[in-house]
Amino acid sequence: MSNSTSLLDTIATNQSSKEVTANALFDAASVATLWGRRASTTTGLTWGYYGGWFNGQISNGTVSLTASSTNYLMADASTGAVTVNTSGFTAGKIPLYQVMTGSTTVTSYTDRRSYAPQALAGGGVTSVNGLTGAVSLTTDNIGQGSTNLYFSNALARGAISASGSLAYNASTGVMSFTDAVTSVAGKTGAVTLSTGDVSGLGTVATLASDTDGTLAANSDSRVATQKATKAYVDSKTGGAQPYDLLMFFPGTPTGSQVMGRIIIPRAVSLPASLTGSYSSSIAAATGSTTLTLAKNGTSIGSVNFAAGATSATFTFASAVSLAAGDVLTLTNQATADATLANVSVSLVGTR
């Protein structure tokens, strides 16, 4: 389990069709069984294994073991093909199992698979700042023997460059930069990198892109951002952002029918006259028809179809602000037009 509260579908004692739930769980976890021992095809000196996906589909298969020997099973790092020998894991291959055999059967075995199949036996990196010997690389660590040196995410956005080497403290297990970061967005000086922290920059009064001069360092020398003025934000984002509201009513509405209803998820402003907005129908109205736009049940404007028209105009006296949770509705007039049908309304707003 990932923690004490299981996220998996568990099996109840009195549950029917337990095998359905069990098989679904096995299927979800099957990616982790790649090259795992397959008991149903493992017999005598024949070792069976499960297939999976590794640079292509790997089928279930078997290999023959050598009697009274230590057998080393491994997979090709490119094709995933499984081979076995009695001399040891081959450099560049993916270790799978170390199997001890008697004259006719397996006597014991050790699972040598890594959590990440990319870990290769032998070879690879031979030195990390003075650490020598075989070093295996996986997705998120550099390991040597039982020591794993973990790295956080890559250096964050922006122009950051560094010189020098990595230092490893054997007593604490910490790896860090020993030399200075030479550039952080144009700022120079010795910088020590630790978990989630950039320190040692000193006081930064103004950065090149900081026009209002309020970006400064706090007491522990971490660079802290301070809230900029709205004018500064607008200069970076281009001001108010567009936010469109769309409605469609299929078919011919009845009298006083609600044709559209939107619960507003964030603050939106609709401009006076609904400039830039559109409304049309597939079937034209026989007579002039007025559809009411309302905010929380109170009219704020209308959508107007002239007789014989499929395009509408808007009546909207002034700008209206809508807050998150407000309800915008479109309602037909009390006496429905006989032919107006399939109405679309697209309102242009900003946030």
Side-chain angles (χ1 to χ4, degrees), residues 2-3 47 102-103 120 130 145 149 155 193 199 205 212 226 267 272 313 333:
S2 58
N3 51 47
W47 181 273
S103 59
L120 305 181
L149 311 178
L155 295 177
L193 299 181
S199 61
D212 62 312
Q226 298 179 359
T313 59
Q333 62 187 23

Side-chain angles (χ1 to χ4, degrees), residues 161-229:
S161 60
S163 65
S165 59
L166 295 173
Y168 173 68
N169 186 320
S171 62
T172 63
V174 174
M175 175 174 278
S176 60
F177 285 105
T178 59
D179 295 297
V181 169
T182 57
S183 174
V184 178
K187 302 300 177 181
T188 59
V191 177
T192 301
L193 299 181
S194 59
T195 305
D197 180 29
V198 178
S199 61
L201 284 176
T203 300
V204 181
T206 304
L207 296 182
S209 61
D210 180 41
T211 59
D212 62 312
T214 61
L215 191 59
N218 61 15
S219 58
D220 68 352
S221 298
R222 296 179 184 179
V223 176
T225 57
Q226 298 179 359
K227 186 177 180 180
T229 63

Side-chain angles (χ1 to χ4, degrees), residues 2-26:
S2 58
N3 51 47
S4 58
T5 302
S6 176
L7 300 178
L8 301 178
D9 298 324
T10 55
I11 301 174
T13 303
N14 60 350
Q15 175 184 335
S16 62
S17 301
K18 293 182 176 67
E19 70 280 1
V20 175
T21 301
N23 287 335
L25 290 169
F26 297 150

Side-chain angles (χ1 to χ4, degrees), residues 7 15 22 38 44 53 59 63-64 118 154 182 205 221 226 235 307 339:
L7 300 178
Q15 175 184 335
R38 189 182 183 196
W53 185 266
S59 299
V63 292
S64 297
Q118 293 88 342
T182 57
S221 298
Q226 298 179 359
S235 71
T339 58

